Amino acid sequence: MLDFDKLLQDSLIIWATIDPIGTLAIFTALTGGMDAAQRRQTAIRAVAYAAAVLLGAIVVGQLILTAMGIRLISFQLSGGIILFLFGLQMIFGSGAANAKKEPGHDIAVFPLAIPATATPGAILAVILLTDNSLHSIPTQAITAAITLAVLGMTLILLLLATPIMRVLGQGGASILTRIMGMILAAFSVELVMNALGVERWLAGLNLSHVLMQ
């Protein structure tokens, strides 16, 4: 049975961590000197590379952790902390928008595919959202489909980069990125609380009584 709450949660988390709006701003800055055909090819390659990285993380990410003897709860704690810091960067601004082309490398790979689209936060998120001990294969497949859908929307945004940025402006893009950062920061706190089992002792508290103190 389809869990619509998880569907919505996964969609928001994956959108926030991939951050298509932030990727759009970086793409616009880095491809300003290209013609339309070059920009289109760069956008397609960047999203294809990012999809390969994220789907690879979904398929083998947890297996690699298991082989290395890293428990998922440890990864969940560290992932929650990293996602929180990533969310703070989105809220207060980061150096991502100032990413430069690395000499000798295709910008579709760096920095557009990694780390602009397949961000560290996105890689951590898809692994945690497809935990083998919590979710069935069909549920994980849905999460993978959501990831591909968000990447598809990212590609559409990149292909429409010039008119979209003209409408949104830098201010509009900045506001949307910060909203996604707040959502991501809240989710990261939930990850840490779940890993620590905080809900077990929170359930025994009379929160309304605590708030009244």
Side-chain angles (χ1 to χ4, degrees):
M1 182 177 180
L2 185 60
D3 187 340
F4 288 100
D5 288 338
K6 176 171 172 53
L7 183 66
L8 177 60
Q9 181 192 55
D10 287 6
S11 300
L12 290 174
I13 292 166
I14 294 172
W15 177 276
T17 51
I18 291 178
D19 187 19
I21 301 299
T23 303
L24 172 62
I26 296 172
F27 177 84
T28 302
L30 292 178
T31 61
M34 297 182 179
D35 60 33
Q38 290 175 321
R39 295 181 78 174
R40 182 171 59 254
Q41 293 173 2
T42 300
I44 293 172
R45 290 202 310 273
V47 173
Y49 296 147
V53 171
L54 293 177
L55 291 179
I58 291 175
V59 174
V60 301
Q62 192 168 349
L63 296 176
I64 293 175
L65 292 178
T66 302
M68 296 176 64
I70 300 174
R71 291 181 298 175
L72 192 62
I73 187 172
S74 300
F75 191 77
Q76 187 172 347
L77 279 170
S78 62
I81 294 170
I82 292 173
L83 287 177
F84 181 76
L85 296 175
F86 186 74
L88 289 182
Q89 289 180 347
M90 292 173 65
I91 294 169
F92 295 108
S94 68
N98 298 318
K100 304 295 183 183
K101 179 179 178 180
E102 184 177 319
H105 287 76
D106 183 359
I107 63 170
V109 178
F110 174 87
L112 289 177
I114 303 173
T117 307
T119 65
I123 294 171
L124 289 169
V126 296
I127 292 176
L128 293 174
L129 292 173
T130 55
D131 180 358
N132 294 333
S133 64
L134 297 177
H135 306 295
S136 64
I137 296 300
T139 300
Q140 294 182 47
I142 291 174
T143 301
I146 292 172
T147 302
L148 290 176
V150 173
L151 288 171
M153 295 176 68
T154 302
L155 177 59
I156 292 172
L157 290 177
L158 297 187
L159 294 176
L160 299 174
T162 301
I164 288 176
M165 288 304 295
R166 189 180 300 124
V167 172
L168 283 180
Q170 291 296 331
S174 178
I175 289 172
L176 289 177
T177 296
R178 280 157 175 75
I179 291 174
M180 290 298 103
M182 293 176 65
I183 293 173
L184 181 57
F187 170 68
S188 68
V189 173
E190 289 291 332
L191 285 179
V192 173
M193 291 175 64
N194 289 337
L196 295 176
V198 173
E199 69 279 359
R200 288 194 293 269
W201 58 267
L202 277 181
L205 294 177
N206 186 336
L207 294 183
S208 61
H209 175 72
V210 172
L211 292 174
M212 291 296 292
Q213 297 300 315

